[in-house]
Amino acid sequence: MASRLQQAVKGAALNFQRTPAEINAAVQRLIRREQQTYDKVAAQRRPTFANTIAPLAKLENTDGGESAIISFLQNVSTDKQVRDASSEAERALLSSRMTSMMREDVYKSVQQVLENPVELARLDPEDRALAESMARQYRQNGLALSAEQRAKLKTIKQRLIELGIEFSRNTNEKDGVALFTRDELAGLPDSFFEDRETRTENGVQKFVVTTKYPDLVPVMQMAKVESTRKQMLYAEETRCPENIALLQEAVGLRLRAAQLLGYQTYAGFRLEENMAKTPDTVLEFASDLRQRMEKLAGVEIKEIEALKRADNEAAGKPYEGLFNWDYRYYSTLVKQRKHQISEEQVKPYFAVERVTRGILDLCQTILGLKFVKAADAPTWHPDVVAYEVWEADGTAFMGHIYLDLFSRAGKYGHACLNPIQAGYEKDDGTREYPVVVILANFPKPTSTTPSLLTHNE
């Protein structure tokens, strides 16, 4: 297999190792190429699919990978200067693209393609759908508005870009932290305390617990002390107070933008091209789902309440209600007592390496693929593992996949899949291959224990 893989044509691994200076230079190149492409399209005297729609579509392919990398690094780099440069690069790229998508001269060229019956007759359904979608995107960016309204919309959209980047930067950079004694963390397993940082507060040694998932979730599920769970939830939900004003401003601006474009609500604007089409459809679906689920939820809530009442009675405390910080803890107890399911007993069967290998093996079997570690691929952190993806028989290279699975400071705090580069055929007939990144925030291995996952994880 190895020799066949080496003989087949494969795509080069992308370079994720960028300095702030390299990021700044890259974004200037991307903006320059984008402006040149749009200028050329706008200058066409006889717009066609080939000289107008195709160049704009190809720009997404040719520059998409580089653009995604420099924007992506703000979510994963351990170097704050790189993260800051990446955030600023994204701001510049989004601003440039917003300006490009609001160019009236380019929109006119796109419209002329759609208004030319001879040109339309030459297009297959896929190309025609692309041209119609492109024209619709321009209209959604205000090209059907007056110049005055378009200027208002541009100001709003520019501010929304800034708000979004600032909001994301705050959530990535600022983790909540709480300090607890071992007694206050009663119920947590010994593995939770291995290699954990401690601090002295008022002469008492306490453990540092962050709002990152590997800390937050176990505390909310297993800490017996109610005040500990309450303090952790408060630390999580109040860790970026500055984002409240950003979100409030963004909600108002989104509504203003939608109304400028002729929609009653921002939801109406966003849903127009989705399956639901209207907010009423979504609300009707959600209402129907809630009515169906409330019957089941009522039974489960009574089970959880009974457990908390019993705990309070045993402790000689009055029952004051079921709160947000109680749900995960008592749901876990229901699993243990009613269904004899213990996450801690299950976890040793789900070491990260074993789970990862099992999932890759499953994909290989079902999809007819072969995953080969790319040891020489330049990544953004030593924890990252890169794989080449091949057809099972080694005759065709399919792309790259990167796994960044462990939590760390400054990293995006949730789990997601990031498409970095699209696969496409170049003008010379060769292929560019797709690249994706899977991010997670699983607990890192300790000095004595491998990274173990719950069944849900």
Side-chain angles (χ1 to χ4, degrees):
M1 172 67 73
S3 61
R4 295 185 71 178
L5 294 182
Q6 290 166 0
Q7 292 170 9
V9 175
K10 70 175 182 180
L14 298 181
N15 179 20
F16 287 91
Q17 296 175 355
R18 307 294 181 94
T19 66
E22 289 170 337
I23 290 172
N24 294 335
V27 75
Q28 295 306 316
R29 286 195 302 272
L30 289 168
I31 290 174
R32 191 161 52 249
R33 284 204 296 263
E34 178 183 277
Q35 291 174 343
Q36 289 170 350
T37 301
Y38 277 81
D39 287 345
K40 188 174 181 179
V41 166
Q44 296 296 334
R45 294 186 176 183
R46 294 184 177 83
T48 65
F49 183 90
N51 65 27
T52 299
I53 307 298
L56 296 175
K58 288 178 180 179
L59 187 64
E60 294 183 24
N61 287 336
T62 56
D63 288 0
E66 182 76 351
S67 173
I69 288 173
I70 62 176
S71 298
F72 168 73
L73 288 173
Q74 66 188 287
N75 296 317
V76 294
S77 176
T78 55
D79 186 332
K80 190 176 186 306
Q81 289 184 324
V82 170
R83 294 198 301 271
D84 289 345
S86 175
S87 292
E88 291 307 312
E90 183 180 35
R91 186 197 307 272
L93 284 172
L94 290 175
S95 296
S96 175
R97 287 172 185 167
M98 177 197 67
T99 299
S100 296
M101 290 299 296
M102 297 184 78
R103 284 184 57 167
E104 188 173 10
D105 51 358
V106 176
Y107 175 58
K108 287 180 178 178
S109 292
V110 172
Q111 277 295 105
Q112 286 180 47
V113 175
L114 288 169
E115 292 167 0
N116 184 339
V118 176
E119 183 66 16
L120 282 181
R122 298 192 186 108
L123 302 183
D124 60 30
E126 184 177 359
D127 288 346
R128 181 165 184 164
L130 174 61
E132 291 172 347
S133 174
M134 196 172 286
R136 185 163 53 249
Q137 288 176 21
Y138 280 99
R139 289 192 295 273
Q140 289 179 337
N141 277 280
L143 270 301
L145 301 177
S146 67
E148 181 182 357
Q149 288 178 313
R150 205 156 57 240
K152 291 180 181 179
L153 182 63
K154 184 175 182 179
T155 300
I156 291 172
K157 290 171 73 68
Q158 180 61 48
R159 180 57 180 158
L160 283 170
I161 289 171
E162 294 168 359
L163 291 171
I165 289 173
E166 189 175 352
F167 187 99
S168 296
R169 179 185 289 170
N170 290 339
T171 54
N172 285 348
E173 298 284 345
K174 298 180 181 179
D175 294 324
V177 174
L179 304 179
F180 299 104
T181 64
R182 184 70 182 251
D183 288 343
E184 290 170 331
L185 292 168
L188 276 295
D190 291 341
S191 59
F192 184 81
F193 301 93
E194 289 181 14
D195 300 334
R196 183 166 295 279
E197 179 188 354
T198 59
R199 296 180 192 171
T200 300
E201 185 180 62
N202 299 324
V204 179
Q205 188 182 55
K206 295 187 176 183
F207 292 93
V208 177
V209 183
T210 74
T211 53
K212 288 285 190 184
Y213 279 5
D215 286 4
L216 177 66
V217 173
V219 171
M220 300 308 296
Q221 288 181 335
M222 291 183 280
K224 294 180 179 180
V225 181
E226 182 176 353
S227 60
T228 297
R229 302 194 303 271
K230 180 179 179 180
Q231 186 176 340
M232 276 303 298
L233 187 65
Y234 182 82
E236 162 64 6
E237 295 191 348
T238 61
R239 64 188 173 95
C240 294
E242 61 273 36
N243 276 357
I244 295 173
L246 302 181
L247 187 60
Q248 289 173 331
E249 184 180 355
V251 169
L253 290 175
R254 282 178 167 184
L255 177 60
R256 285 175 55 194
Q259 290 175 340
L260 275 173
L261 292 166
Y263 299 87
Q264 288 187 331
T265 64
Y266 180 74
F269 165 69
R270 292 294 295 173
L271 289 168
E272 185 178 50
E273 293 188 48
N274 293 352
M275 183 172 68
K277 300 299 183 188
T278 68
D280 287 343
T281 303
V282 174
L283 292 172
E284 183 180 340
F285 173 82
S287 176
D288 177 66
L289 182 63
R290 177 170 182 162
Q291 290 176 20
R292 295 170 187 268
M293 296 301 293
E294 277 180 340
K295 296 178 182 178
L296 298 173
V299 174
E300 292 182 2
I301 289 172
K302 286 180 180 178
E303 287 182 322
I304 292 171
E305 281 185 318
L307 288 175
K308 186 175 182 184
R309 287 180 186 276
D311 278 355
N312 284 22
E313 184 177 344
K317 297 191 302 183
Y319 176 74
E320 297 178 343
L322 194 66
F323 300 100
N324 229 8
W325 53 84
D326 293 323
Y327 174 73
R328 284 185 175 178
Y329 175 70
Y330 285 104
S331 294
T332 301
L333 285 185
V334 169
K335 287 182 183 178
Q336 292 174 352
R337 297 179 183 181
K338 183 178 180 180
H339 305 293
Q340 290 76 53
I341 297 174
S342 169
E343 294 284 11
E344 287 304 303
Q345 292 179 357
V346 169
K347 281 168 65 174
Y349 296 94
F350 294 108
V352 165
E353 293 79 5
R354 183 177 183 180
V355 172
T356 302
R357 187 67 259 169
I359 290 174
L360 294 179
D361 287 345
L362 187 64
C363 290
Q364 288 183 154
T365 301
I366 294 176
L367 302 176
L369 299 174
K370 182 73 176 178
F371 294 93
V372 180
K373 277 192 177 181
D376 59 343
T379 66
W380 55 93
H381 192 273
D383 287 344
V384 178
V385 181
Y387 289 91
E388 297 172 358
V389 186
W390 295 80
E391 288 279 10
D393 61 4
T395 58
F397 179 76
M398 306 296 290
H400 282 94
I401 182 170
Y402 294 77
L403 306 182
D404 185 358
L405 303 181
F406 299 122
S407 177
R408 61 179 177 270
K411 182 183 175 184
Y412 177 75
H414 301 279
C416 64
L417 184 144
N418 289 261
I420 300 296
Q421 181 171 278
Y424 63 94
E425 186 174 301
K426 301 178 185 178
D427 290 338
D428 62 6
T430 61
R431 281 197 62 78
E432 192 68 63
Y433 295 93
V435 177
V436 297
V437 175
I438 293 178
L439 295 182
N441 276 274
F442 298 139
K444 291 196 71 168
T446 68
S447 57
T448 60
T449 308
S451 177
L452 302 176
L453 305 181
T454 64
H455 183 265
N456 182 56
E457 288 172 329

